[in-house]
Amino acid sequence: MNRNHDFHRGKLGAFCAAFTLSFAMKFAPVNAVPSTTTASAAPNDADVAAVMPASAFAPAPNRVYTTTGLELIDHPIDTKCYGDRDATASVEYIMLHFCSDVIENPSNPFNVDRIYGIFTFAGVSAHYLIDRDGNIHKMVDESKRAFHAGNGNIDWAPQVKGQMNQNSIGIEMTAVGSPKDMKIFMSETKYNDFKTSYPQHIGFTDAQYKSLARLISDIRRRNPKIPFDRYHIIGHSEWAPSRRSDPGELFDYSRIGLPKNRPGGPTTSTAESAGTSASAEKPKPSWNFFAHYDNRLAKIAEDLNALPATTTSTVVILGDSITEGNPLKTVIGMPVINMGISGDQIDIPTTATGGVLRRVALVPKARPTDIFLLIGINDFGAGKSVADAETQYRALVKKLRELAPTAKLHLQSILPTTGRHAYLLEKVNAMNPKIQAIAKEFGCDYVDLFSIMKNDKGELREDYTGDGLHLKQPANNAWVTAIEAHLKKQ
Ligand SMILES: [Zn+2]
């Protein structure tokens, strides 16, 4: 098996014509797994029954749990479908794929046993397969080299050329893509017939997104060299744009908290010219949000423990990197507890780590009289809609009011941006009136920092920022003046 082994879809289209029902039966035994602790019903029983006689059933796969508590189905694929990783290989990428049995079985294209059979026949694999119900099948151990990426390159990391399998974890999701995605597998007529008959099979399911977000979080805890960004969490089509279209146009990166495109990069999906699809901008230095988040939580806990028992009034500043970067230690005689964490969002749905909403229980421990909240820019950086941000923001404010009912809550408008972050302004401008309305709804104070920080173009003042988003000291000073004014106002 050479390392360039690569799935599927193009090949699948070619060899699938020869596949028959006997194929699935022949390969079903690869699903046999060692019996371990907890057994459960085989997933997709009904679907399997639709195409295979009961005698072809594989034994029920076993549910197992990762060290961080994620439930998987232990479902190893045949050993011929993967190899060893080089001892020196550094796992820094996650590659996303889609797969299906649509050519042969358009009425039932996501039967996991058949897909295992197809992979086994072709001698390929991924580490994980997420089925339509969100079950995560563990195909190949992360310590092994799954054959999922094939030949390709990414021009922001030329050293990885042709070696992606050595350096990555592959995740398959059962799905059928857009007409453009599927052009390499089926005719337009066949696609249209399929779409008319089985519209539910197009695209990805909510359960898949939810499981994928959890799985990525889980993988990154074991593989901390995989940064949470679009340079390292990529689609197969970004690696091999001339051959591959998956996970395709219908895959929504914002559902896993990532932008569709790399910062400054062109659109990526199914770019036709190999090697030109990547951003000219250099990748950001590796920065592990989860590690930083954990470190900051530990530091915040330390600060809270260090508060003298006699302290009954503090000011909490709560938010992301902008708050984290504010050096304010005391304000009008009160200690300031900085609860900013770089990279954080209002809420990160479905993942286990991150989101201010997940950590607000720490706020009352500071015994605050005043809480200044500034959050939302990373949500938009990650592609979140204003409507979703508003829903999550309201939930956050509601929870803060419940947890710290005697503290005065100051909702600060999201700051303007400029330069390469100026594209976020549209959402910021749409969001701030909603924050103001939420302030009114919950009887909170609204602090219009946006107006203080903007220039006459409505962007962040050039003298206030270096990178177009974060604040320099003069801006922090202006911010502190605003905080003082709002504290004295009451
Ligand atoms: Zn693929």
Side-chain angles (χ1 to χ4, degrees):
M1 228 25 72
N2 77 55
R3 85 166 69 85
N4 294 329
H5 251 314
D6 180 16
F7 283 95
H8 47 81
R9 281 44 76 180
K11 278 178 202 150
L12 194 77
F15 66 62
C16 246
F19 281 7
T20 64
L21 193 55
S22 62
F23 156 82
M25 295 172 66
K26 182 178 171 193
F27 284 98
V30 301
N31 297 312
V33 292
S35 77
T36 55
T37 48
T38 47
S40 72
N44 306 325
D45 276 3
D47 294 340
V48 175
V51 293
M52 285 195 285
S55 59
F57 279 145
N62 289 308
R63 304 268 167 179
V64 293
Y65 295 87
T66 66
T67 48
T68 57
L70 184 68
E71 184 182 272
L72 307 174
I73 296 174
D74 189 23
H75 199 170
I77 198 161
D78 193 278
T79 53
K80 74 169 190 162
C81 301
Y82 57 90
D84 289 328
R85 275 196 209 277
D86 288 350
T88 54
S90 172
V91 176
E92 296 174 16
Y93 301 89
I94 291 173
M95 182 170 283
L96 305 177
H97 305 262
F98 66 41
C99 63
S100 74
D101 185 20
V102 66
I103 310 297
E104 194 73 359
N105 280 298
S107 65
N108 185 23
F110 304 131
N111 182 282
V112 169
D113 290 326
R114 284 191 64 97
I115 286 167
Y116 266 65
I118 292 166
F119 285 8
T120 305
F121 183 83
V124 298
S125 62
H127 293 91
Y128 300 99
L129 170 77
I130 303 177
D131 68 28
R132 301 294 280 180
D133 296 324
N135 298 302
I136 303 168
H137 301 255
K138 182 182 170 184
M139 258 185 183
V140 173
D141 194 83
E142 288 172 9
S143 64
K144 299 293 184 185
R145 176 172 49 100
F147 301 147
H148 66 98
N151 250 325
N153 73 292
I154 42 179
D155 65 7
W156 61 94
Q159 73 280 9
V160 187
K161 188 174 181 183
Q163 299 291 323
M164 182 55 77
N165 290 341
Q166 286 288 5
N167 300 103
S168 65
I169 306 279
I171 303 175
E172 284 280 346
M173 291 165 280
T174 50
V176 171
S178 72
K180 195 173 158 197
D181 300 333
M182 301 307 288
K183 221 164 78 179
I184 54 179
F185 312 118
M186 60 208 293
S187 71
E188 201 180 326
T189 313
K190 195 165 181 195
Y191 182 90
N192 288 335
D193 289 349
F194 172 76
K195 192 176 177 181
T196 305
S197 304
Y198 309 107
Q200 74 277 19
H201 293 337
I202 310 273
F204 299 81
T205 69
D206 288 345
Q208 285 180 313
Y209 282 118
K210 204 169 166 184
S211 292
L212 178 62
R214 287 184 173 148
L215 178 60
I216 289 173
S217 164
D218 189 72
I219 290 169
R220 292 185 60 251
R221 283 176 174 262
R222 281 184 298 280
N223 300 274
K225 288 184 182 170
I226 307 174
F228 191 66
D229 64 33
R230 290 283 284 108
Y231 295 99
H232 299 86
I233 299 175
I234 62 174
H236 200 182
S237 64
E238 293 167 279
W239 170 251
S242 62
R243 296 182 297 118
R244 294 297 176 224
S245 59
D246 59 319
E249 295 179 314
L250 303 178
F251 182 76
D252 181 356
Y253 279 93
S254 75
R255 298 288 303 270
I256 56 169
L258 283 169
K260 182 179 176 195
N261 303 312
R262 283 176 295 286
T267 57
T268 51
S269 168
T270 62
E272 281 307 316
S273 47
T276 62
S277 63
S279 161
E281 188 178 323
K282 276 165 68 179
K284 293 203 184 84
S286 293
W287 181 78
N288 185 329
F289 170 69
F290 290 140
H292 181 76
Y293 191 89
D294 290 347
N295 290 339
R296 280 291 295 153
L297 283 184
K299 174 70 169 67
I300 291 166
E302 216 174 86
D303 292 347
L304 292 174
N305 285 333
L307 266 184
T310 50
T311 303
T312 53
S313 50
T314 69
V315 174
V316 165
I317 56 176
L318 178 62
D320 51 35
S321 56
I322 296 169
T323 295
E324 189 184 334
N326 189 327
L328 190 63
K329 295 280 183 260
T330 60
V331 62
I332 59 169
M334 287 189 283
V336 172
I337 304 294
N338 188 319
M339 293 193 181
I341 300 187
S342 286
D344 213 0
Q345 301 181 28
I346 306 164
D347 188 19
I348 300 180
T350 75
T351 48
T353 301
V356 175
L357 190 54
R358 301 287 170 84
R359 57 184 173 93
V360 284
L362 283 174
V363 172
K365 295 190 198 305
R367 305 186 288 275
T369 57
D370 292 85
I371 303 161
F372 286 83
L373 176 67
L374 173 54
I375 192 72
I377 199 70
N378 294 316
D379 301 71
F380 298 140
K384 192 177 287 178
S385 71
V386 173
D388 286 351
E390 183 190 5
T391 302
Q392 293 170 14
Y393 200 102
R394 181 175 285 103
L396 174 59
V397 169
K398 185 166 179 282
K399 199 159 177 188
L400 275 169
R401 298 301 280 154
E402 287 164 10
L403 288 168
T406 59
K408 183 154 188 187
L409 184 51
H410 306 263
L411 306 184
Q412 302 169 108
S413 57
I414 302 173
L415 304 184
T417 52
T418 189
R420 67 190 173 94
H421 298 290
Y423 76 98
L424 296 166
L425 277 167
E426 192 182 334
K427 285 183 175 176
V428 171
N429 283 318
M431 183 68 186
N432 281 334
K434 298 187 187 304
I435 293 175
Q436 192 169 9
I438 291 169
K440 200 170 172 198
E441 186 181 331
F442 288 87
C444 307
D445 182 32
Y446 179 69
V447 185
D448 184 9
L449 294 181
F450 186 99
S451 300
I452 295 168
M453 305 272 182
K454 75 176 171 67
N455 62 19
D456 53 13
K457 286 194 297 181
E459 300 187 355
L460 183 56
R461 282 171 54 161
E462 286 82 356
D463 55 331
Y464 274 11
T465 185
D467 64 2
L469 191 150
H470 294 100
L471 301 182
K472 288 180 169 175
Q473 196 49 44
N476 281 328
N477 294 342
W479 182 7
V480 170
T481 302
I483 289 176
E484 284 172 347
H486 278 259
L487 286 170
K488 287 174 183 158
K489 200 171 77 175
Q490 44 198 317

